Amino acid sequence: MTMLPATTTKKLGLVIDLDTCVGCQACATSCKEWNAQGDSGPLTDTDPQGADVSGPWFNRIHGYEVLEEGRSDSRIVNFPRSCLHCEEPACVTVCPTGASYKRAEDGIVLVNPETCIGCKLCSWACPYGAREYDYMQGVMKKCTLCVDRIYNDNLVEEDRVPACVRACPTGARHFGDLADESSEVSILVKERGGFDLLPEMGYKPTNKYLPPRARRENYAAGVEALPKGDGSVMEMLFAWADKLLTPSAVTAAANPDDHSDKLEG
């Protein structure tokens, strides 16, 4: 059995805001792109340019239809899922070769491909489905929190975060040290009631989720009418550009002999 460090100096992890995640997949695609670079990239694909491409992904996004208490209409909540870098990771303690391990300096859980035998015990032990088996290399793989980015002095400071965090267009993903109570991520968790995924399992995930906020009602009395046009030159310019760029106008310009949009008779 692989042993866990008694303590970790830091607890680096992600805080994901379920209120602002729009399910755009930018985190998943940026993760795939960053981790597939070069021959040594940990994410390998079978027939990447073919019709039946397949391969491991470190980050996945699920969409759930949720019914809020006291409301009859549902909403969609997007739920990103990747390795949670648990404080007590079962994937590490079941590893027979020590290939799966937790770093004492920052709490990141990693896999050493040189000693992994592909037995898949770690994937069976992980309740979050965060482990991916690479059929091309015969080893287990997982999210690394982009250790090759966050400690890379050749990158500008704002790029020294996981690729998924850097790519998120809505700022739904945050990265930092959750062992530091004064860090941005710790403050977010405290203020927004951040929660663990499956806390009853006892694995103490480092990554936290921020719950969706309750939706605000739109009261007709508080809706202001749009201002009327003033006939200015700029307004006429924007109206002309809008007309020019509408799909029907673009199609008509590209196909002057196509009159399919006009009724006969």
Side-chain angles (χ1 to χ4, degrees):
M1 185 178 85
T2 306
M3 300 299 294
L4 295 170
T7 59
T8 59
T9 306
K10 296 181 179 181
K11 294 180 182 178
L12 296 185
L14 302 174
V15 173
I16 300 174
D17 192 343
L18 301 181
D19 188 60
T20 54
C21 176
V22 295
C24 66
Q25 308 285 328
C27 55
T29 54
S30 63
C31 169
K32 185 74 170 179
E33 188 277 334
W34 177 261
N35 287 290
Q37 298 184 68
D39 294 333
S40 60
L43 285 181
T44 54
D45 287 332
T46 303
D47 193 21
Q49 306 301 325
D52 190 25
V53 60
S54 63
W57 289 74
F58 290 164
N59 194 48
R60 300 177 187 273
I61 300 88
H62 308 278
Y64 298 95
E65 185 177 8
V66 177
L67 187 64
E68 294 182 30
E69 185 176 356
R71 297 184 66 109
S72 59
D73 56 331
S74 61
R75 66 185 294 186
I76 298 298
V77 173
N78 298 292
F79 198 95
R81 177 179 58 83
S82 61
C83 176
L84 302 174
H85 299 276
C86 302
E87 293 185 43
E88 304 286 340
C91 60
V92 170
T93 55
V94 301
C95 182
T97 67
S100 184
Y101 64 99
K102 184 176 180 66
R103 293 168 30 135
E105 62 268 32
D106 52 24
I108 298 176
V109 178
L110 296 175
V111 177
N112 182 357
E114 298 298 324
T115 54
C116 177
I117 58 175
C119 66
K120 301 183 183 180
L121 282 175
C122 57
S123 64
W124 296 338
C126 176
Y128 307 111
R131 295 283 175 136
E132 296 274 343
Y133 184 70
D134 188 327
Y135 286 91
M136 290 185 65
Q137 298 184 2
V139 297
M140 300 303 299
K141 296 182 176 180
K142 62 177 292 298
C143 162
T144 66
L145 275 183
C146 288
V147 291
D148 54 339
R149 286 178 64 104
I150 62 178
Y151 295 115
N152 191 341
D153 293 335
N154 293 319
L155 299 176
V156 294
E157 186 174 355
E158 57 264 32
D159 283 338
R160 294 177 205 163
V161 294
C164 61
V165 175
R166 192 72 175 96
C168 182
T170 63
R173 302 176 75 90
H174 307 267
F175 171 72
D177 182 8
L178 286 146
D180 180 3
E181 294 183 356
S182 63
S183 67
E184 178 191 351
V185 286
S186 294
I187 294 173
L188 271 173
V189 170
K190 183 178 180 179
E191 292 181 347
R192 291 280 308 281
F195 64 91
D196 292 347
L197 185 60
L198 299 178
E200 65 274 13
M201 301 295 294
Y203 298 126
K204 301 177 183 178
T206 298
N207 289 8
K208 310 295 180 186
Y209 289 93
L210 304 181
R213 296 180 177 91
R215 286 180 294 178
R216 293 176 294 179
E217 298 288 353
N218 294 321
Y219 294 101
V223 178
E224 297 182 2
L226 293 174
K228 294 183 178 180
D230 56 6
S232 64
V233 175
M234 288 302 296
E235 182 182 352
M236 290 188 288
L237 175 62
F238 284 125
W240 171 81
D242 181 65
K243 182 178 179 181
L244 181 66
L245 295 175
T246 54
S248 58
V250 173
T251 303
N255 303 283
D257 297 327
D258 183 6
H259 303 289
S260 59
D261 60 333
K262 295 181 174 58
L263 296 176
E264 295 182 359

